[in-house]
Amino acid sequence: MKHFLATIIGLLCALSTFATSTDSLFNELNAALVKKKEYEAIKLKRIDELKQSLRKEQNPTAQQLYNGYSSLYEEYKTFNYDSAFYCAKQLEKVAPQLNDKAKIEEVKLKIGFILLSSGMFKETYDVLQSIIPSSLNKKERVEFFSLQARYYFDLADFHKDKYFTAAYNQKGNDFADSAMALSDPASYDYLSLQGLKNLRNGDMKAATKSYEQIMSFKNLTPHQFAINASSLSFIYAYSGHEKESVDLLVKAAIADVKSATKETVAILNLADILYKKGNTQTAYDYIKQALEDATYYGARHREIQIGAILPIIEGQQLSTVEHQRKLLLGYSILATVLFLMVVTFIVIIFKQLKKLKVADKIIKLANENLQHTNDLLKEANKIKDEYIVYYFNVCSEYIDKLERLKKSIEQKLLMGRGDDLKTTLAKVDLHKEREGLFLSFDKVFLKLFPNFVQGFNSLFKEEDRMKIEDGQLMNPELRIFALIRIGITDNDRIAKILDYSVNTIYAYKTRIKKKSLVSNDDFEEYLMKIQSV
C-alpha cells in the first residue's frame, strides 16, 4: 500500500513538473515572439554596420570586397535569400580577381547552399555539378559532400515518392559517408552527418546518441542548436518521449527567434504537433509565424509545406471561432433572457413595493386613526368618570335640599303655619342654585382640561381673548365651548343646560368664531385639539 501511494504521489509530481516546465518554455517562446522585431532590429543593425564598413572603402581591393561580401553573406544566408543571393553573386564577380580557384569554388558552395535553402532544387543541382571538388580544401570538400547529402535528403522529403525517395536517400547516404570519411569522428560535422544518416535509415538509437553528443557541445551557434534540437525532437517523438520532444522543439524555436533566423522548421513542426493535440489557437498563431518567416526568407519549399498544413489549421480555427461565436450568441441570448427576466422581476418587485408602501400608508393612517380613537375613548372615559361622580354629587346635594325642604313644609303644615310657607319658598334662589351648578361644572371641566382657557385664547388676538372676572372660573362663552369640547355639540341641548335660548347660543358662537385667527369651519377642529390631562 505504501509503495502504491508513493508511486501515485511520484506520478502526480512528475505530471506537475511536466506541465510547469513545458508551460514555462511556451511562455518564454511567446515572450520571444513579442520581441521578435527587436531581435530582427539587432540583426539589421549588424548588417547595416557591415554595409557601412564596406562603403567607407574608397577604392576597395578585391580581397576587401570579398571579405565584406562574405561577412554580409553569412548574416543573410539564414535571414533573407534575395540578399544572400545578391552577396553570393557579388562574390562570384570578385573571386576571379583573386586568382584563387578555391575561392571560385567556395563561392559556388555558398550559392548552392542558399539555392537549396530556398527550395530551388534544379538550380542547386546545376551549381553542385559545376563544382570541381579537387579545387577545394579538406574543410570545403566536407562542406561540399554535406551539401550534396542534404540536397538529396531534402529532395526525398519533397517528392515523397516510393521509387525515387529510396534512391534519393541512398545517394544522400553515399555523400554523407564521403563527408564523414574526411571529418574527425568527434567533430560537429561528423556527428551531425552520422545522426542525419542514422535518422534516415531508421536507426533511432544510434541517431539519438549522435545528436545527444552534439547537444552537449558548448560552442554551438543558435542555428546549429536549433537544427539539432529539431532533429532530436523528432526522434524523441518517434520513441514516445512526448515531453522531451516538445521541450526541445520549443527551445529550438526560441533559438531561431532570438537569432533572427528565418530559414527554420522548428516553429512549423511545433504548430503541427499542437494542432494534432487539439490546441488549434496556438497552432494557428505559430504556423502564421512560420509562414511569415518562410515568406521573408524566400523559402519556396517551406511555403509549400506550410501551404499544405495552414488551410487545415485555418479551417479548424474557423470552426473553433464559429463554434465560439455560436456559444457567444447562445450566451448572449441566455444573458438577454436572464436580463429581461431580472428586469421583469424588478418591475414586479417595484410594483409590489409600491403596493406595500400604499398598504403601509393605509396601515399607518389606520393606526393613527385608531390611536386617535383610543385617545378620544380615553378622554371620553375620563370625562364620563368625572361627570358621573359630579352628577351623583350634585343629585345627592339636591336630594338632601329637597328632603330638608319637604320636612320644613310638612312641619309648617302640621303646625298650621301656612304663612311661613311663602317665606320658606321665597328663600329658594334658583339663580344662585344655577350659578352653583355652573361653578361645579367649571371645576370638574378645568380639572379635566386645565389648559383649556390658555388653549382657547391662543386662537385669538390679544385684544380679543377672554377675560375671567374675579370669583369665576369660566364665563358663559367659555362654558358653551367647554360643552362642545366634551362632545355636546347640539345647540338645543347646550341652550337647555345653560338656560339660554337657542338663538343666544348661536349668537355667542358666531360672534366668537368671527374674532378667531382661524376660519369658522376650522375653529371647532382646533378647539378639539386642546388636550385633556
Side-chain angles (χ1 to χ4, degrees):
M1 185 65 179
K2 289 182 179 179
H3 293 297
F4 175 75
L5 288 174
T7 304
I8 293 297
I9 293 168
L11 180 60
L12 290 173
C13 290
L15 289 172
S16 175
T17 304
F18 172 84
T20 304
S21 62
T22 304
D23 287 347
S24 177
L25 284 172
F26 273 110
N27 290 337
E28 186 179 349
L29 173 58
N30 293 333
L33 288 171
V34 171
K35 294 183 177 180
K36 188 177 180 181
K37 296 297 180 184
E38 295 178 24
Y39 297 128
E40 291 175 4
I42 294 169
K43 179 89 167 176
L44 291 170
K45 182 181 178 183
R46 194 162 58 244
I47 290 170
D48 189 59
E49 288 172 354
L50 290 172
K51 288 180 178 178
Q52 293 292 337
S53 177
L54 192 58
R55 290 193 194 104
K56 284 179 182 178
E57 301 294 337
Q58 294 182 354
N59 295 305
T61 63
Q63 187 63 52
Q64 286 174 329
L65 286 172
Y66 190 88
N67 292 339
Y69 281 117
S70 291
S71 297
L72 282 170
Y73 169 84
E74 290 300 321
E75 291 291 343
Y76 276 125
K77 73 176 185 179
T78 59
F79 186 63
N80 183 269
Y81 162 77
D82 288 335
S83 298
F85 184 77
Y86 171 80
C87 292
K89 297 305 284 185
Q90 292 302 113
L91 288 170
E92 192 176 43
K93 292 178 183 179
V94 175
Q97 300 175 27
L98 298 174
N99 296 319
D100 186 345
K101 289 183 179 180
K103 293 293 184 187
I104 295 172
E105 301 305 314
E106 182 184 343
V107 171
K108 290 179 182 178
L109 280 174
K110 293 182 186 297
I111 294 172
F113 176 86
I114 57 169
L115 286 172
L116 183 58
S117 297
S118 181
M120 300 174 71
F121 295 107
K122 172 64 171 62
E123 292 76 5
T124 303
Y125 179 80
D126 292 340
V127 171
L128 291 175
Q129 291 303 309
S130 70
I131 295 174
I132 303 171
S134 59
S135 300
L136 302 172
N137 59 35
K138 184 179 178 181
K139 181 182 178 183
E140 289 167 350
R141 285 202 301 275
V142 170
E143 185 178 347
F144 170 71
F145 289 128
S146 297
L147 189 58
Q148 288 273 24
R150 181 189 161 195
Y151 167 77
Y152 282 108
F153 285 145
D154 284 1
L155 201 58
D157 288 338
F158 183 76
H159 279 280
K160 292 183 178 178
D161 179 82
K162 288 184 178 180
Y163 178 79
F164 290 104
T165 295
Y168 290 146
N169 279 327
Q170 185 57 52
K171 285 186 177 182
N173 286 333
D174 293 339
F175 280 111
D177 288 337
S178 299
M180 289 164 63
L182 297 170
S183 303
D184 180 357
S187 67
Y188 173 84
D189 291 331
Y190 184 92
L191 291 172
S192 63
L193 286 166
Q194 185 185 56
L196 182 59
K197 181 184 174 183
N198 288 328
L199 182 60
R200 289 285 171 175
N201 294 330
D203 190 351
M204 298 300 179
K205 187 175 181 180
T208 302
K209 184 178 179 181
S210 299
Y211 284 119
E212 285 180 346
Q213 277 185 267
I214 292 173
M215 295 301 289
S216 68
F217 286 3
K218 303 296 182 184
N219 57 344
L220 291 177
T221 66
H223 188 52
Q224 287 174 334
F225 174 85
I227 290 172
N228 290 283
S230 296
S231 299
L232 189 56
S233 168
F234 175 81
I235 297 170
Y236 282 157
Y238 182 85
S239 304
H241 299 91
E242 183 180 341
K243 178 188 180 305
E244 291 82 355
S245 172
V246 173
D247 286 355
L248 274 174
L249 210 51
V250 176
K251 288 176 181 178
I254 292 169
D256 285 332
V257 174
K258 289 185 175 181
S259 62
T261 300
K262 300 295 184 179
E263 203 283 303
T264 175
V265 295
I267 200 163
L268 170 61
N269 292 339
L270 188 60
D272 188 41
I273 289 172
L274 290 173
Y275 167 70
K276 290 173 180 176
K277 288 171 69 67
N279 192 345
T280 311
Q281 180 59 57
T282 307
Y284 181 67
D285 292 338
Y286 287 171
I287 202 161
K288 284 197 299 182
Q289 292 288 339
L291 180 60
E292 182 184 309
D293 289 344
T295 304
Y296 186 92
Y297 181 81
R300 294 160 178 79
H301 62 309
R302 295 273 183 261
E303 291 179 4
I304 293 170
Q305 266 186 293
I306 294 167
I309 302 172
L310 182 59
I312 299 171
I313 297 178
E314 279 185 331
Q316 185 63 41
Q317 177 65 8
L318 286 173
S319 298
T320 303
V321 171
E322 179 63 19
H323 178 66
Q324 290 174 345
R325 189 190 68 79
K326 288 180 179 179
L327 280 178
L328 184 60
L329 180 62
Y331 290 146
S332 299
I333 293 170
L334 180 61
T336 303
V337 171
L338 290 174
F339 174 75
L340 292 174
M341 289 175 66
V342 169
V343 170
T344 304
F345 285 137
I346 290 172
V347 170
I348 292 170
I349 289 168
F350 271 114
K351 285 184 177 180
Q352 293 299 322
L353 286 174
K354 194 174 180 181
K355 289 180 180 179
L356 286 173
K357 285 181 180 179
V358 172
D360 188 52
K361 286 181 180 179
I362 293 171
I363 291 169
K364 283 182 179 179
L365 184 61
N367 286 336
E368 288 174 0
N369 291 335
L370 183 61
Q371 185 62 42
H372 180 65
T373 303
N374 286 337
D375 292 340
L376 291 176
L377 285 172
K378 288 179 182 178
E379 186 179 86
N381 286 333
K382 286 181 182 180
I383 293 170
K384 179 190 70 174
D385 292 343
E386 291 291 334
Y387 277 98
I388 286 172
V389 174
Y390 162 72
Y391 172 77
F392 278 108
N393 287 337
V394 170
C395 289
S396 177
E397 288 178 4
Y398 276 100
I399 289 170
D400 288 343
K401 288 182 178 180
L402 286 171
E403 188 176 357
R404 286 195 299 271
L405 181 61
K406 177 184 175 185
K407 287 180 179 179
S408 176
I409 291 172
E410 287 177 347
Q411 287 177 357
K412 290 181 186 226
L413 287 173
L414 288 172
M415 295 173 65
R417 296 167 60 184
D419 294 336
D420 291 340
L421 288 174
K422 291 182 179 180
T423 304
T424 300
L425 291 174
K427 289 180 181 179
V428 178
D429 190 348
L430 294 177
H431 178 72
K432 187 177 179 180
E433 294 294 335
R434 193 175 295 279
E435 287 295 328
L437 180 63
F438 290 157
L439 182 62
S440 297
F441 171 80
D442 294 346
K443 286 179 181 179
V444 174
F445 180 81
L446 292 175
K447 182 179 178 183
L448 290 168
F449 298 90
N451 299 318
F452 180 76
V453 177
Q454 293 89 332
F456 187 84
N457 280 332
S458 67
L459 302 175
F460 300 89
K461 296 178 181 178
E462 183 67 30
E463 62 271 18
D464 294 326
R465 291 178 179 175
M466 296 293 174
K467 305 290 190 299
I468 307 299
E469 296 180 4
D470 293 338
Q472 289 186 333
L473 295 176
M474 289 192 297
N475 58 22
E477 291 90 339
L478 283 171
R479 208 167 284 127
I480 291 170
F481 288 99
L483 288 169
I484 293 172
R485 179 62 188 85
I486 63 174
I488 302 171
T489 57
D490 183 61
N491 290 340
D492 188 51
R493 289 185 63 193
I494 294 171
K496 288 180 179 178
I497 292 170
L498 298 179
D499 195 29
Y500 293 138
S501 67
V502 174
N503 289 335
T504 301
I505 298 299
Y506 181 78
Y508 273 136
K509 288 171 66 176
T510 303
R511 178 170 55 83
I512 289 171
K513 285 181 180 181
K514 283 182 178 180
K515 294 179 182 181
S516 172
L517 295 172
V518 297
S519 66
N520 290 355
D521 293 335
D522 297 333
F523 185 83
E524 290 188 9
E525 183 181 343
Y526 278 91
L527 181 72
M528 297 304 291
K529 290 180 181 180
I530 299 174
Q531 297 295 313
S532 62
V533 293

